Amino acid sequence: MADKRDYYEVLGLQKGASEDEIKKAFRKMAMKYHPDRNPGDKEAEEKFKEINEAYSVLSDPEKKEKYDRFGFAGVDPNAGFGGAGAGGFGGFGGFGGFDFDDIFSSFGFGGGRTRRRDPNAPRPGADRQLQVRLSFTEAIFGCEKEIAMNTQVECDECHGQGTAPGTSKRTCDQCGGSGVINRTQSTPFGTITQQTTCPKCNGSGQIIDTPCQKCNGAGRIKKRIKIKVDIPAGVDEGSIVTLRGRGDAGVNGGPSGDLLLVISVKPHSLYKRAGDDLYLDMPITFDQAVLGGKVKVPGFNETYTYTLAPGTQSGSNFRLRGKGVKNPRTGRKGDLYVKVYVEVPTNLSGKEKKAVKKLAEELGPEAYPKRKKFDETDL
C-alpha cells in the first residue's frame, strides 16, 4: 500500500478532523472531480475513486479509529485487524449515512432516484419590496399612505390559464408532462441519470397551442396599481411592514407573494430617536438656570412641564418617563431625555450690559466656586 496517499491528505484535512469537516471536504472534492463534470478526464476519474475510498473509511467511526491507530493496515482485510476493506465502494449508495443524491442533485446528477416537483403544481408569486419615506411624526404616530407599484397580476382575459378563450393546454409529448428529459449514461461507477429541462415546453410540462393574446400565454400581466397602506405607530428607520398577499400573483393558482415596505424616516429639526426613546437638546435662559422654576418642554401634540432645580448647570439631563415612542409590538412607550444648556445673551444694549456688570459685581467670586477654584489652581 506504499502507493496510496494518506486519506486525510486526499480530502485536504488534518488528522483528527471532525465528522462535519470530513463530510464538507468530501462534498467539495466529490463535486469537483465527479465524472459528469470531467467527461473523458482519466485523472479526475482516478481522483474521484481515491476520494470515495478515503471517505468510506473516515466517515465510518470504527474504520476511522483503526486507520488513525494503525494506518492502512488497520483497514486492510488481509492484515488481521478485523476491519472491513476500504475498497468495494462502487456505485453511489452513500457512505456513513451520507447520501450521494443530496450532493449531485445540486448540479443536476441523478443518483438513481428522481425527485422533482410537479411543474404544474401551484407556485406562490414573488415578493415585492418598496421603500416608504415618512416624516418623523408619521413614524411615531402611524399614518395612512397611498403607494404606487408595478406588480404581476392575474390576466383577466384568460384568468391565469395562459390560453386563448375556448382553448386549453395539452400535455407535452416530448417529456410526457414531467417538464424534464432524462439522459442515462453508463460509467465505471454505475449508471448515472442526468435531468435537463424539456426544451419543447421549457419545463412546464404543457404546451399552449393558442396563447392568450393579452398575456402572451404567461397567465399574468404587469400592471401599475395604487394601494392604501396603514403604517403602524412606532415604526423606525429600517423597519419592515409586511402586507400578506399584496405581491405578485401566483402561478397555476398559487397564492400571491407579499409586499415588503421598508421604512425610511426623515430627520427632525429638534428631536432624535434611539429605539423607543426620544432625545431633545433644549436651551434655557440664564435666570432659569440660576433661579430654577418650571419650564415648558415641547412634545408632539402636547407640551410637558418640568421644574428645574435652582443652580441647574448647562449640560444637565432629566427624563420624562413614558413620553417616548410607543413600541409597535409591546405597546409600551419609551422615555424622553432632555438635555438643557444655558443660552448666553447676545446683542445686548448699553443698558443691558450695565445691568450684567452690576449683577456680576454684586455676585462676586463666591457665586462661582468652580471658577474660583480654577483661578486659584497652581499650574
Side-chain angles (χ1 to χ4, degrees), residues 206-221:
Q206 295 184 323
I207 301 294
I208 299 178
D209 294 312
T210 310
C212 170
Q213 292 186 353
K214 187 169 185 178
C215 66
N216 199 29
R220 303 184 300 174
I221 57 174

Side-chain angles (χ1 to χ4, degrees), residues 147 227 229-230 241-247 257-261:
I147 60 175
I227 59 175
V229 179
D230 289 324
V241 178
T242 302
L243 303 180
R244 302 295 182 191
R246 301 308 297 265
D258 299 331
L259 174 58
L260 308 177
L261 302 179

Side-chain angles (χ1 to χ4, degrees), residues 80 196 279 299 322:
T196 59
Y279 294 83

Side-chain angles (χ1 to χ4, degrees), residues 21 27 61 97 120 166 169 174 179 193 204 236 255 329 371 373:
E21 290 173 332
R27 177 191 291 269
N120 300 304
K169 302 176 183 179
Q174 186 165 337
T193 301
S204 68
D236 200 357
R329 294 184 299 274
R371 178 67 195 188
K373 183 178 179 180

